[in-house]
């Protein structure tokens, strides 16, 4: 008799339940994997890096903003046998390297040398300040090497990498975070002049005052280096310097960019005149030392508002519509310098010039960004443009010092600086007209 198949036989048991068959045919949903190279826009490491970048900018660009204190002290006391033309070269070299460092500093950072650059710059800044304290009176070449060339290279090594590393941690809020870090420049322009004036003219004197300043900055830079971190891998080694130079050279086929960069160069030739010479003029006009010593602090303090307020409305008003009036206002204020004879004049100059100069300088970056068709080129174009502008900052103050002479003939440097700044407003106006024409052509073509 044939056996009937039992439902419990192995053949029937090997068939899975219907529900299990249905589940097994379902395709698993792909899991979303976050890109490890995407900036997190927050987190402990990001915020610590922001604080570290602020401190690094405070000690580098912020210290350069205090050079007016050194200029006054050198001209009247420590280097009184040297001409204003010679002394102005010290601060001009600082500004030159602060601006030109965008090219080598960014290149080194992109190739994985951020930590070495920051540590080397911190040590060099401290070393140069200590060497400045040992410079002998009336020895210009000693002061130029230590406080000009050496310190200029040091602040240049610190400034650009400190700002650039924020792009490793922030994307959506990158511009805001960079703006907050760069505020360290203005805050340094407030703190350093007060500290240096009180140290130089107090019980400690110049030598020990500079040493205290060196220790103060060294401690802050140690904290800054401990706080800042990188996230992104270094660029491939096949990106040689020769290829990078060819890339930078291609920028100068854009006529609008060339004209805008020329405007920055002419502007920088004249715009730093009050920053270098306001305190000296205040002292020579018989103002009390307390008021004269705080003139640079007041100028830099109001500059904080000047750097922030225009950037809030620039996207609605237009970068050229903001930049041209600010440049004209700076030129008019420089021409009015010759009428500055009392405390009210010095305070007015510090307040109004600080605001408009801070505005026009802060609008350079939005202008270059507006004229750059490819977003990925903004950083490189801005670095080259500001580097060329820094050459103007190298030329302008020494020329003003030569025109000033030891007899302090203020009319001559005022005319030179005023013409430079007003001329930059003229070239900016031409840039605006060409940009508007180009925009209309594109709209018609579309």
């Amino acid at each position: 008799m044939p056996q009937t198949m039992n439902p419990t036989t192995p053949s029937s048991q090997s068939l899975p339940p219907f529900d299990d068959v249905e589940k097994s045919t379902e395709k698993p949903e792909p899991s979303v994997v976050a890109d490890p190279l995407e900036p997190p826009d927050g987190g402990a490491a990001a915020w610590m890096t922001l604080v570290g970048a602020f401190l690094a900018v405070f000690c580098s660009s912020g210290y350069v903003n205090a050079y007016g204190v050194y200029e006054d002290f050198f001209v009247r006391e420590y280097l009184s046998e040297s001409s204003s033309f010679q002394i102005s070269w010290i601060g001009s070299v600082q500004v030159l390297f602060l601006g030109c460092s965008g090219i080598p500093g960014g290149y080194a950072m992109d190739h994985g040398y951020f930590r070495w650059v920051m540590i080397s710059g911190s040590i060099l800044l401290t070393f140069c300040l200590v060497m400045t304290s040992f410079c002998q009176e009336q020895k210009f070449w000693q002061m130029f090497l230590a406080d000009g060339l050496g310190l200029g290279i040091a602040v240049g090594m610190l400034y650009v990498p400190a700002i650039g590393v924020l792009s490793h941690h922030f994307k959506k809020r990158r511009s805001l975070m960079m703006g907050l870090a760069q505020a360290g420049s203005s805050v340094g322009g407030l703190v350093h002049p007060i500290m240096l004036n009180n140290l130089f003219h107090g019980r400690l004197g110049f030598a020990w005052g500079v040493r205290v300043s060196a220790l103060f900055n060294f401690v802050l830079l140690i904290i800054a280096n401990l706080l800042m971190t990188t996230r992104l891998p270094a660029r491939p080694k096949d990106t040689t310097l020769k290829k990078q130079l060819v890339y930078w050279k291609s920028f100068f086929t854009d006529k609008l960019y060339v004209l805008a960069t020329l405007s920055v160069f002419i502007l920088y030739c004249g715009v730093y005149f009050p920053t270098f010479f306001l305190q000296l003029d205040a002292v020579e006009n018989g103002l009390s030392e307390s008021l004269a010593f705080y003139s640079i602090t007041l100028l830099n303090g109001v500059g904080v508002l000047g750097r922030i307020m225009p950037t809030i409305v620039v996207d609605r008003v237009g970068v050229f519509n903001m930049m041209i009036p600010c440049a004209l206002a700076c030129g008019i204020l420089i021409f009015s310098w010759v009428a500055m004879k009392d405390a009210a004049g010095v305070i007015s100059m510090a307040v109004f010039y600080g605001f408009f100069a801070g505005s026009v300088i802060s609008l350079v970056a939005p202008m270059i960004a507006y004229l750059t068709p490819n977003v990925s080129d903004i950083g490189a174009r801005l670095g080259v443009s500001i580097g060329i502008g820094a050459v103007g900052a190298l030329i302008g103050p020494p020329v003003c010092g030569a025109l000033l002479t030891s007899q302090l003939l203020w009319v001559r440097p005022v005319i030179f600086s005023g013409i430079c700044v007003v001329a930059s407003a003229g070239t900016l106006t031409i840039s605006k007209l060409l940009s508007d024409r180009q925009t209309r052509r594109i709209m018609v073509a579309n």
Side-chain angles (χ1 to χ4, degrees), residues 48-97:
M48 290 169 62
T49 299
L50 174 62
V51 175
F54 177 91
L55 293 176
V57 173
F58 175 93
C59 296
S60 56
S61 178
Y63 204 85
V64 173
N65 283 339
Y67 179 73
V69 177
Y70 280 92
E71 177 82 18
D72 171 50
F73 186 76
F74 290 163
V75 170
R76 294 192 297 119
E77 298 184 40
Y78 213 73
L79 298 176
S80 57
E81 295 179 5
S82 301
S83 65
S84 297
F85 170 75
Q86 291 176 300
I87 295 172
S88 297
W89 277 104
I90 299 174
S92 295
V93 169
Q94 293 180 4
V95 178
L96 172 70
F97 281 103

Side-chain angles (χ1 to χ4, degrees), residues 45-46 48-49 114-115 165 168-169 225-231:
M48 290 169 62
T49 299
F114 170 80
R115 185 64 63 193
V165 74
H168 288 217
H169 298 275
N225 279 280
L226 292 174
L227 291 175
M228 289 185 291
T229 56
T230 60
R231 291 183 62 257

